[in-house]
Amino acid sequence: LGWLSYPTSATIFILVNFICLLASLFLITKLISIKHPFSVLFFTLAINYRYLESHVSNNQVAFILILLMLLAVYVKNDALSGILLSLAIIIKITPAIFLFYFLYKRQFKRFAYTFLFAGIWTMLPSIYSHEYNLHSLGNWYELVLNNAMKNPAFRSWKNNQSLIATIAKYFMVGADPLNQALFAMPFISLGAKTITYLFYFFSLLIGIPFLYRLKAGFKDAELISILFILSVIFSGISWVHSFVVLLF
């Protein structure tokens, strides 16, 4: 797309997202038993249209990820399933939570194929330039992944409502100066380590009902729904950009 003009690239991107959305809705009707599915889907799209359109306009890729994740659990071929989920993970790390689906269903071949193809996609840019690829991977690890784990305020700017960012806004000075000034935050000033421990604590609270239900077992649609929800809660991405995964 980078070789094309901006209007042409934007048009292709919007069309790809629209096709992915329609394909995802079709798969949802296959995975969930719905009475009058077209009425339900039309109503869902109608009341969320402005939000869904905004998601695409902000160059987000969740519709593509939703389709890849749904296809990964829907297709019968293990290798193809691994290819699809690994593509989603390479685009954005949060779909990795669907590896749990493979483990829960004892689909160990799919689990292994996902790791195999994720490695292939990771090294594929080395065909262009191996040094540049390693440099970019190092930057991603140090500046994004590692930094986000060490510093709760790293993702707390402006419109980020992720769990770790929200806790930082409530309890860490300077996490989000604009909104903190508007709403008299932080309520109590805590250190970065304390906020990290709070994040782990709330994560455990969220996970307890999931682990309790694990004993009774899940239907496919229930498990897929829960994994989508958890991918949003534990994502470092703004909910403005990731909330569309709750469409399922």
Side-chain angles (χ1 to χ4, degrees):
L1 292 178
W3 294 330
L4 305 173
S5 67
Y6 181 82
T8 304
S9 299
T11 302
I12 293 172
F13 181 75
I14 289 171
L15 285 173
V16 168
N17 276 272
F18 182 67
I19 293 168
C20 287
L21 174 59
L22 292 181
S24 296
L25 293 175
F26 173 77
L27 285 177
I28 287 172
T29 62
K30 296 293 183 183
L31 292 165
I32 302 177
S33 178
I34 307 173
K35 290 183 179 180
H36 312 296
F38 293 106
S39 300
V40 172
L41 296 177
F42 176 80
F43 181 72
T44 302
L45 292 176
I47 62 175
N48 289 289
Y49 170 75
R50 182 66 186 91
Y51 183 79
L52 299 174
E53 185 275 330
S54 175
H55 179 82
V56 179
S57 296
N58 281 283
N59 300 314
Q60 299 301 313
V61 293
F63 293 140
I64 298 170
L65 299 182
I66 292 170
L67 179 60
L68 290 172
M69 287 185 280
L70 291 178
L71 280 172
V73 301
Y74 183 76
V75 299
K76 304 300 182 185
N77 184 277
D78 292 336
L80 180 58
S81 176
I83 289 172
L84 293 166
L85 185 58
S86 64
L87 277 173
I89 293 170
I90 287 300
I91 295 170
K92 195 163 280 187
I93 195 72
T94 46
I97 197 167
F98 271 76
L99 286 167
F100 180 85
Y101 180 90
F102 293 161
L103 290 176
Y104 179 79
K105 303 290 287 186
R106 298 184 179 277
Q107 296 172 337
F108 301 120
K109 284 185 179 180
R110 296 187 178 214
F111 187 89
Y113 275 125
T114 301
F115 273 94
L116 172 64
F117 285 104
I120 291 172
W121 306 137
T122 301
M123 298 311 298
L124 190 61
S126 290
I127 296 172
Y128 171 74
S129 173
H130 184 62
E131 288 185 5
Y132 179 73
N133 189 29
L134 291 180
H135 178 71
S136 297
L137 289 170
N139 280 344
W140 174 79
Y141 177 78
E142 286 296 330
L143 302 178
V144 179
L145 189 63
N146 201 28
N147 203 353
M149 295 296 289
K150 288 180 179 178
N151 183 6
F154 178 71
R155 295 192 179 276
S156 301
W157 67 88
K158 201 164 186 316
N159 70 340
N160 196 315
Q161 308 85 12
S162 63
L163 182 59
I164 186 68
T166 300
I167 296 171
K169 288 178 184 184
Y170 288 166
F171 301 114
M172 188 174 187
V173 176
D176 183 3
L178 179 62
N179 287 307
Q180 285 180 324
L182 286 173
F183 300 105
M185 297 186 290
F187 304 127
I188 301 171
S189 181
L190 300 174
K193 280 190 176 180
T194 306
I195 289 170
T196 302
Y197 293 144
L198 275 177
F199 171 68
Y200 293 146
F201 172 72
F202 284 118
S203 298
L204 182 62
L205 283 183
I206 292 167
I208 286 173
F210 174 73
L211 295 173
Y212 177 78
R213 183 62 191 275
L214 198 61
K215 288 184 177 180
F218 295 102
K219 295 178 181 177
D220 272 13
E222 290 175 343
L223 182 57
I224 293 168
S225 298
I226 289 169
L227 292 177
F228 271 130
I229 292 168
L230 293 178
S231 73
V232 174
I233 292 173
F234 296 119
S235 171
I237 305 159
S238 168
W239 278 32
V240 170
H241 296 146
S242 59
F243 206 74
V244 293
V245 302
L246 299 184
L247 187 68
F248 186 83

